[in-house]
Amino acid sequence: MIPTRKRIFILIFLIVTLGLLLRILLFPQQLLVLKEEPNYRRASGGAPLPVLVTVFYEALCPDSKYFITKQLLTAYKVAAPIMEVQLVPYGKAHTTTDDEGKLIFDCQHGPTECQANTYHACAAEVIDDPLIRLEVVTCMIRDNRIPKDAMHKCAKQYNVENIDLIQKCFDSDHGSELLKLNGDATNALRPPVKFIPTITIDGSQGRQESILKDLLSEVCKATGGSEAAKSICKKL
């Protein structure tokens, strides 16, 4: 006969295991929000991987607009082989739920920014090509006064074929879920966000002032001296 203490331990173990399995089955999208950033420098075979630049921003923020249009897109066009971009539109927004469990967002620059942030989040998920994704987001942030019009105009300008998927994402609960996950990732930053945009390079906020003024130079410093990086960065 199994002792009482051992039976209790087995019961607790089974309950915890069942709970974890249920979470994985019911909420798989919440288990990973952003890519693993620490130790991002080299693959298992030793080949250098791109520097991961993660941009925490707001769609109606003038400083975010300036960084994306003047620094991010320019740097990526030069350094695409050594640089990967991850976009996290949310900024200093707040997320709550109503009595029915619906997600409610309060954005720094008002309801229009919440709409624009959601369109940006949906576009970032739907558009596979990294350059086109960045060009569409850059185009939208130049004029987000009517977010829906901005998305459709910019997606058509860059020949995005699955515009309807971006709109469906926005119209469905999925768009709100993406924005919430962006909020979770933004709020998890350490040190906490004080300025928008905040940029991390391979997970580190590093020297924000330098990153915001000369992103390409900071990316080059983080590459580890690969041959591709030397070819791109030698002109700086």
Side-chain angles (χ1 to χ4, degrees):
M1 185 173 180
I2 302 175
T4 301
R5 185 175 295 179
K6 191 171 184 180
R7 279 185 290 166
I8 293 173
F9 175 79
I10 293 172
L11 181 61
I12 292 172
F13 175 79
L14 290 174
I15 291 172
V16 171
T17 302
L18 180 60
L20 289 173
L21 288 173
L22 286 172
R23 184 180 176 187
I24 291 171
L25 290 172
L26 295 175
F27 307 105
Q29 76 279 13
Q30 295 186 12
L31 297 182
L32 180 64
V33 178
L34 298 180
K35 293 190 176 185
E36 287 289 338
E37 293 182 310
N39 302 318
Y40 191 70
R41 180 58 41 241
R42 293 188 178 276
S44 57
L49 288 169
V51 173
L52 179 59
V53 176
T54 307
V55 184
F56 298 85
Y57 72 103
E58 296 167 341
L60 293 184
C61 166
D63 291 314
S64 296
K65 176 180 177 180
Y66 184 87
F67 176 78
I68 289 174
T69 59
K70 302 298 184 182
Q71 286 289 329
L72 185 63
L73 181 60
T74 303
Y76 187 78
K77 285 183 174 181
V78 173
I82 61 169
M83 177 180 171
E84 182 175 351
V85 175
Q86 191 157 24
L87 298 166
V88 188
Y90 185 84
K92 294 182 179 180
H94 298 282
T95 303
T96 56
T97 55
D98 63 15
D99 294 338
E100 297 179 352
K102 180 181 178 181
L103 290 168
I104 305 296
F105 300 100
D106 180 16
C107 296
Q108 184 170 209
H109 299 95
T112 299
E113 181 168 76
C114 292
Q115 294 177 21
N117 283 345
T118 305
Y119 272 115
H120 280 233
C122 288
E125 180 181 74
V126 169
I127 302 172
D128 291 327
D129 184 284
L131 177 57
I132 293 176
R133 181 193 310 134
L134 190 52
E135 286 179 324
V136 168
V137 166
T138 302
C139 174
M140 288 194 295
I141 205 170
R142 285 194 174 104
D143 183 6
N144 271 147
R145 288 175 295 178
I146 305 177
K148 181 177 180 178
D149 290 354
M151 184 280 288
H152 281 271
K153 181 192 76 172
C154 295
K156 288 178 182 177
Q157 180 177 330
Y158 289 97
N159 300 313
V160 175
E161 295 181 356
N162 43 6
I163 298 177
D164 59 320
L165 293 182
I166 301 175
Q167 188 61 54
K168 286 179 181 178
C169 168
F170 177 87
D171 292 335
S172 70
D173 291 339
H174 187 60
S176 295
E177 290 166 1
L178 287 178
L179 197 57
K180 180 188 179 300
L181 290 175
N182 284 350
D184 293 342
T186 302
N187 293 329
L189 278 176
R190 292 296 178 270
V193 165
K194 291 183 179 179
F195 180 80
I196 294 296
T198 288
I199 319 300
T200 65
I201 293 181
D202 286 339
S204 172
Q205 294 183 38
R207 298 173 296 189
Q208 279 298 291
E209 187 174 348
S210 298
I211 293 172
L212 292 170
K213 288 183 177 179
D214 192 352
L215 175 63
L216 182 56
S217 292
E218 294 302 313
V219 167
C220 285
K221 292 174 185 177
T223 57
S226 67
E227 289 304 315
K230 289 178 182 177
S231 175
I232 291 168
C233 300
K234 66 182 180 181
K235 301 175 184 179
L236 297 180

